[in-house]
Amino acid sequence: MIHQFETVIVGSGGAGLYAALEASQRSKTAVLSKLYPIRSHTGAAQGGISAALGNVEEDKPEWHAFDTVKGGDYLVDQQAAHILAEEAIQAVYDLENRGLPFSRTPEGRIDQRRFGGHTRNFGEGPVRRACYAADRTGHMILQTLYQQCIKNEVSFFDEFQVVDLILEGNTARGVVAVELATGELHILAAKAVLFATGGFGRMFKITSNAFANTGDGPAVCARRGIPLEDMEFFQFHPTGIMGLGILISEAVRGEGGILQNRDRERFMERYSPTLLDLAPRDIVARSIMTEVRAGQGIRGDRRIDDYVHLDATHLGETTLATKLPDITSFCKTYLGIDPAEKPIPVLPTAHYAMGGIPTDVQGRVILDGAGTVVNGLYAAGECACVSVHGANRLGTNSLLDLVVFGRRAGQHIGDYVKQADQPQLTAAVADEARAWIAQLTDGSTGPHGGHIMDEMQVSMMEKVGIYRNADDMKAAMDDIQALRERYRAVRVQDTGRAFNTDLLEIIELGNLLDLSLLTAASALNRTESRGAHSREDFAERDDDNWLKHTLAYLEDDTVRIDHKAVDISIWEPKPRTY
Ligand SMILES: Cc1cc2nc3c(=O)[nH]c(=O)nc-3n(C[C@H](O)[C@H](O)[C@H](O)COP(=O)(O)OP(=O)(O)OC[C@H]3O[C@@H](n4cnc5c(N)ncnc54)[C@H](O)[C@@H]3O)c2cc1C
């Protein structure tokens, strides 16, 4: 079946919905989502969205932009960070005007709290910059935007999984999707296509990410010749529930929670004397692992099981109940402990992809270091790389990225579609996807996808995790290549057409394998340590050779690496101290 739209948006998280809201005002717009829209991972975001409103203490967008650049270890494109910080204020007030119920100060203004790496006056001390709705900020953003999209008559294709991008030369023409309910293939022809498919934490064994975060958008693009930028930078959030990876928001530390080792020492005093527990995430995650590796973790005799404590007992029941209600309930449900009475056992968890589909500040996808644009193709949100997060993202800057760059992309699409032709597509554009699905469902038997997934996640976690070295990463590349080989023989066990989740999971696994390969290859190639990319064999940041973005191209079974310049037009890179 072929559907005609002017704009097609893949993904209904914060980025996709904001873009849809803008694009739908000037074009016939469809949103496809493999999940029911409000189940997107944006709904799991807890802590907040940053903006230098200065509601509770002095703050300036310039400080916010600087923190973003420094937090990203100077790999951030500085004009993009400037836009992020400047447009943050209007973005938050727009959300408020659209009905988002923010938590308030006693005077009725939007309340703000502290988050890691956000400082006053270029690093003097923590500043209260994160706007929040208790610890359900993302949930509220998603509900607000979804209601507005319904009001604007956006056409939703719920539970449609996009499996291919249609390109004609250098121009996007639409997408191919499987309808979950029927197994039918649909072609959506469009003048403009925007990917907003979110993150891909499911590459790793322990992750805060939802099961659906499998990087479908970046993988589809990579297979169509589009490079992925800075894939080596994957953020481990310092505080996942030990062993499970479920996120304990940084808001706990923002409200005053502290990390402690086996001696109940507040060890962050040694690693970050100024910001302490609110240092950027890469630094806090490494500090935790350094304590654990030194035998200073709790249960220090069996290192594999070691962890540290996040102590929030001194915050009191009222603060926990009003500002961190979901966190309190997670601790009770998953750990059987009340954070008002006992410290929370935590370890770093794979959390956020700084890298992704390269775009300019209008959300247009670019093809190379010279900035060549793919006509009509856009990306926004976690699957994209603008790059405002560089080598390490600051907490609360992702929700902001969705809103600011989702909106900019949607606005640009509104202009673009006015002068672009409506594509005339035939059913043949879905031939490759159809043949692939026919092969996966040919009724023969093959290796089980679940085992391949598990081995991939363990290999990525152990060999391309927080600490990296050449030998481990080469071994990971070999593992992933062998798994990709085995994957070719995988077949779907369930041969039915309706709600064939087996088929869709196998497609997702293929996406994760491709992204794992690109991640490991990009990481092996970068012989320095910067932000979240921390190498034991190259421990220093090396601006002379590595102040540049990576562009990784998937070429059959190999990865070709190229580079793109970093925009350092505002601040000179400096050593990072906190
Ligand atoms: C537990 C948790 C807490 C977080 N807390 C915060 C926070 O407090 N502050 C902050 O700034 N950031 C936070 N983050 C990060 C932030 O929430 C995410 O980066 C952000 O929500 C991603 O939004 P998105 O719109 O890019 O994608 P998502 O919200 O992940 O949405 C992706 C969409 O794409 C769709 N999709 C994916 N693949 C396909 C396909 N093949 N076909 C069709 N549709 C597809 C999905 O159905 C979904 O609708 C948190 C992340 C997690 C995991």
Side-chain angles (χ1 to χ4, degrees):
M1 196 185 294
I2 303 182
H3 309 265
Q4 298 286 347
F5 287 92
E6 290 181 286
T7 304
V8 161
I9 290 173
V10 186
S12 60
L17 291 183
Y18 219 116
L21 209 50
E22 293 292 338
S24 63
Q25 289 170 27
R26 288 190 286 159
S27 65
K28 190 177 168 215
T29 301
V31 174
L32 289 91
S33 176
K34 67 179 179 181
L35 303 171
Y36 186 70
I38 51 174
R39 296 189 69 86
S40 306
H41 192 69
T42 297
Q46 302 162 354
I49 175 167
S50 51
L53 303 183
N55 273 0
V56 285
E57 58 184 322
E58 188 190 4
D59 199 3
K60 297 179 181 171
E62 200 190 349
W63 299 348
H64 185 183
F66 174 77
D67 289 340
T68 302
V69 169
K70 182 178 170 190
D73 221 351
Y74 291 92
L75 199 74
V76 171
D77 286 334
Q78 298 189 0
Q79 293 297 342
H82 178 74
I83 290 171
L84 182 83
E86 287 287 339
E87 296 186 6
I89 295 172
Q90 194 54 47
V92 165
Y93 288 134
D94 277 354
L95 287 170
E96 183 188 37
N97 293 340
R98 292 182 194 277
L100 198 148
F102 282 109
S103 295
R104 304 268 161 191
T105 65
E107 303 77 43
R109 308 174 89 180
I110 294 175
D111 198 10
Q112 299 190 271
R113 64 180 164 209
R114 292 174 172 176
F115 247 79
H118 290 280
T119 73
R120 83 184 118 74
N121 206 14
F122 308 103
E124 273 179 15
V127 75
R128 291 172 62 177
R129 185 176 289 149
C131 311
Y132 63 98
D135 54 2
R136 299 171 186 139
T137 315
H139 173 87
M140 297 303 183
I141 289 179
L142 212 48
Q143 298 286 341
T144 305
L145 293 178
Y146 186 54
Q147 288 164 6
Q148 295 288 329
C149 282
I150 296 287
K151 184 177 137 225
N152 276 281
E153 298 182 347
V154 172
S155 302
F156 278 93
F157 288 71
D158 297 340
E159 299 186 322
F160 277 64
Q161 186 154 330
V162 169
V163 292
D164 205 359
L165 162 67
I166 305 164
L167 286 176
E168 263 174 27
N170 197 28
T171 303
R173 292 299 193 187
V175 295
V176 180
V178 182
E179 181 180 7
L180 185 61
T182 61
E184 195 181 335
L185 270 186
H186 293 253
I187 296 163
L188 283 98
K191 298 175 180 178
V193 172
L194 177 133
F195 280 100
T197 57
F200 33 93
R202 286 279 148 188
M203 279 192 305
F204 296 95
K205 185 76 193 153
I206 301 283
T207 177
S208 66
N209 282 198
F211 282 92
N213 289 18
T214 53
D216 303 355
V220 161
C221 287
R223 288 197 290 269
R224 288 286 170 206
I226 289 155
L228 298 185
E229 182 173 348
D230 292 343
M231 291 293 281
E232 62 271 41
F233 298 103
F234 203 96
Q235 176 168 85
F236 281 75
H237 191 293
T239 59
I241 292 182
M242 190 266 298
L244 298 175
I246 293 169
L247 193 75
I248 300 296
S249 171
E250 199 170 291
V252 175
R253 282 172 286 139
E255 295 292 348
I258 58 172
L259 290 162
Q260 295 174 331
N261 62 17
R262 60 183 297 161
D263 301 324
R264 302 201 66 183
E265 182 205 4
R266 187 180 188 179
F267 57 85
M268 283 311 298
E269 284 174 347
R270 283 187 274 116
Y271 299 96
S272 174
T274 308
L275 295 187
L276 302 162
D277 303 87
L278 288 174
R281 290 177 178 169
D282 55 335
I283 294 173
V284 181
R286 274 195 294 276
S287 305
I288 293 174
M289 293 317 292
T290 305
E291 289 297 299
V292 167
R293 284 175 156 203
Q296 285 298 104
I298 293 152
R299 285 215 316 234
D301 50 350
R302 287 182 57 209
R303 289 188 183 186
I304 189 89
D305 288 324
D306 286 357
Y307 57 89
V308 297
H309 271 152
L310 173 59
D311 187 4
T313 52
H314 52 287
L315 301 188
E317 274 183 30
T318 314
T319 298
L320 287 167
T322 54
K323 296 193 167 173
L324 301 163
D326 275 5
I327 293 298
T328 305
S329 114
F330 289 169
C331 291
K332 289 179 179 164
T333 305
Y334 297 108
L335 292 163
I337 64 167
D338 181 346
E341 288 168 7
K342 282 192 176 156
I344 311 163
V346 292
L347 269 186
T349 182
H351 184 59
Y352 183 84
M354 269 75 74
I357 307 166
T359 72
D360 65 12
V361 293
Q362 319 295 352
R364 293 183 294 184
V365 173
I366 56 173
L367 206 48
D368 52 32
T372 308
V373 165
V374 184
N375 302 315
L377 187 60
Y378 296 77
E382 189 171 340
C383 74
C385 181
V386 184
S387 135
V388 285
H389 309 304
N392 172 64
R393 170 174 76 82
L394 294 186
T396 67
N397 266 357
S398 172
L399 290 179
L400 181 60
D401 174 8
L402 312 181
V403 177
V404 167
F405 289 101
R407 180 170 61 175
R408 288 176 79 91
Q411 284 173 348
H412 199 276
I413 288 173
D415 295 335
Y416 175 81
V417 294
K418 292 294 160 239
Q419 47 85 31
D421 300 331
Q422 187 68 26
Q424 303 301 322
L425 301 179
T426 64
V429 295
D431 281 353
E432 276 184 51
R434 196 173 295 111
W436 182 30
I437 289 170
Q439 184 190 323
L440 285 173
T441 53
D442 67 5
S444 63
T445 51
H448 198 284
H451 301 306
I452 296 178
M453 173 81 112
D454 204 50
E455 287 177 43
M456 171 197 73
Q457 290 174 329
V458 170
S459 179
M460 288 299 286
M461 192 80 192
E462 290 178 353
K463 298 171 189 158
V464 198
I466 296 182
Y467 287 105
R468 299 166 170 183
N469 62 61
D471 289 345
D472 280 354
M473 288 188 285
K474 280 185 196 147
M477 296 271 293
D478 291 345
D479 293 346
I480 304 297
Q481 289 289 26
L483 292 170
R484 289 173 87 238
E485 192 53 44
R486 270 166 61 195
Y487 176 76
R488 294 202 172 100
V490 169
R491 292 293 179 270
V492 175
Q493 320 274 315
D494 172 1
T495 51
R497 286 178 64 80
F499 290 98
N500 191 335
T501 52
D502 194 16
L503 170 66
L504 297 177
E505 279 171 18
I506 287 173
I507 293 173
E508 291 173 342
L509 170 61
N511 294 337
L512 286 170
L513 284 168
D514 286 349
L515 297 186
S516 296
L517 185 70
L518 286 159
T519 302
S522 302
L524 181 61
N525 187 62
R526 185 177 282 272
T527 50
E528 66 155 355
S529 288
R530 182 186 297 272
H533 176 63
S534 179
R535 288 191 62 150
E536 293 161 319
D537 45 357
F538 295 94
E540 300 300 321
R541 194 175 91 192
D542 175 4
D543 285 346
D544 290 341
N545 294 302
W546 285 107
L547 190 60
K548 56 188 178 188
H549 296 291
T550 302
L551 294 179
Y553 297 78
L554 186 65
E555 295 183 342
D556 296 324
D557 282 332
T558 57
V559 177
R560 178 169 65 85
I561 305 264
D562 200 354
H563 296 284
K564 182 162 92 77
V566 180
D567 165 14
I568 51 165
S569 54
I570 307 177
W571 290 289
E572 195 59 30
K574 294 223 175 74
R576 218 169 44 134
T577 51
Y578 284 98

